[in-house]
Amino acid sequence: MTEPAPDPLELLRERLAAFPDGEVRTGTVAGFGERGDVLVQLDGDDPQAPTGTIPRHLLTWAAFEDPGEVVSIGQRITAEVSGVDERTGEVALSARACEDEALYRYLRRTRRGDVVTGTVAAVHNFGVFVRLDGEPAHPAYPGTGFIRVPDLTWSLIDHPGDAVRPGQRVTGEVVIIDTYQGEVVVSLKALQEDPWDRLIAGTGDVVAGPVTKVVPFGVFVRVGEAAEGLVHESDLDGQVVSEGQELAVRIVEIDRVLRRIRLAPAG
């Protein structure tokens, strides 16, 4: 009885399973793709065709015009596996992740949940770079630590600069170790007490608090130490309210899952 032919897709999956995400592999530069990607013949893989691919933006931290300025055909290269593509059979690689050995070692020994301290190095509208104590100098960023805007504080802010400033010392919890971006994502909020845990007012209660923000669709009012609720513009009935003004409000609804408080004027 003839054995059934092996399933090509299953064979491909078995081959790609040998390249788990985050594993460091070596190979030889075999050529360049049309988009400037680098093709790599990985050690131990099928010798018939190069199946490793390094996208040009993951080749190096340094700026360059042509990938041939950075590597040459036949050159040995070390890279981290960043994913596999069953459709093309390619193994996606990041040489940039392994380029700076000190940075890579630092990232690999850092653990999620670690508490780290550092100095704010740069504040941007997309987040905050932090120079972490004990980190090696980053080859491209002002610091290895990065704080996303939602991880800065429980309070509503217009810009990260409302929460921290350059030169400030901060302490946070590691939430992501990202060798792909070469950074440690840190949360300051993770070490701050959740203001919702101290929210003692309930539905129907009347409280007074300052208006923290005026927006086109209404105003936000602080109803706890850091918890804020929204009075919709339709409920203001034309009342003019300014930021900082004390406003008496009635709590209409508290949604603890979505962390939303709906308010209405008390009068």
Side-chain angles (χ1 to χ4, degrees):
M1 186 173 178
T2 306
E3 292 264 345
D7 182 352
L9 181 58
E10 193 58 38
L11 291 175
L12 175 62
R13 286 173 176 166
E14 288 179 8
R15 183 181 70 79
L16 294 179
F19 301 98
D21 288 6
E23 185 170 278
V24 175
R25 301 299 293 260
T26 54
T28 304
V29 175
F32 302 97
E34 293 181 359
R35 297 172 300 178
D37 298 343
V38 176
L39 308 180
V40 179
Q41 178 63 59
L42 291 164
D43 295 347
D45 195 17
D46 186 347
Q48 299 303 313
T51 56
T53 301
I54 305 174
R56 63 176 293 135
H57 70 284
L58 294 180
L59 180 58
T60 177
W61 290 106
F64 64 93
E65 293 293 332
D66 187 286
E69 302 169 12
V70 183
V71 293
S72 56
I73 294 176
Q75 179 178 331
R76 297 288 293 166
I77 197 165
T78 300
E80 182 183 72
V81 176
S82 59
V84 296
D85 189 334
E86 288 187 0
R87 181 179 57 84
T88 63
E90 294 179 345
V91 179
L93 303 166
S94 172
R96 187 178 73 172
C98 305
E99 183 177 38
D100 188 306
E101 291 186 15
L103 173 62
Y104 190 73
R105 286 197 303 268
Y106 177 80
L107 294 173
R108 298 299 284 183
R109 69 172 178 261
T110 302
R111 295 288 180 266
R112 185 174 179 179
D114 286 353
V115 174
V116 293
T117 299
T119 302
V120 174
V123 179
H124 299 279
N125 58 3
F126 56 84
V128 175
F129 288 100
V130 179
R131 194 172 298 108
L132 299 172
D133 294 350
E135 71 165 37
H138 199 285
Y141 301 152
T144 300
F146 185 73
I147 309 172
R148 301 170 297 192
V149 177
D151 290 326
L152 281 166
T153 176
W154 290 103
S155 301
L156 292 173
I157 56 175
D158 292 320
H159 187 274
D162 297 335
V164 295
R165 64 187 184 279
Q168 179 179 337
R169 296 285 289 170
V170 293
T171 298
E173 181 179 306
V174 175
V175 292
I176 299 173
I177 300 95
D178 189 348
T179 54
Y180 184 86
Q181 293 292 344
E183 65 188 17
V184 176
V185 180
V186 177
S187 172
L188 304 187
K189 192 168 71 173
L191 300 183
Q192 301 167 3
E193 184 180 359
D194 186 344
W196 282 69
D197 293 339
R198 302 191 301 274
L199 184 63
I200 58 176
T203 302
D205 288 351
V206 174
V207 297
V211 174
T212 58
K213 186 182 295 186
V214 178
V215 293
F217 50 85
V219 298
F220 285 94
V221 179
R222 183 174 297 129
V223 295
E225 188 173 329
E228 298 174 340
L230 173 68
V231 182
H232 197 272
E233 62 172 343
S234 61
D235 294 322
L236 289 171
D237 196 25
Q239 180 182 356
V240 178
V241 179
S242 58
E243 192 170 313
Q245 177 182 336
E246 194 80 4
L247 192 65
V249 293
R250 178 172 50 84
I251 297 178
V252 177
E253 181 183 8
I254 298 176
D255 188 329
R256 293 185 178 273
V257 176
L258 296 178
R259 303 180 70 84
R260 293 175 181 169
I261 302 174
R262 183 182 160 206
L263 305 172

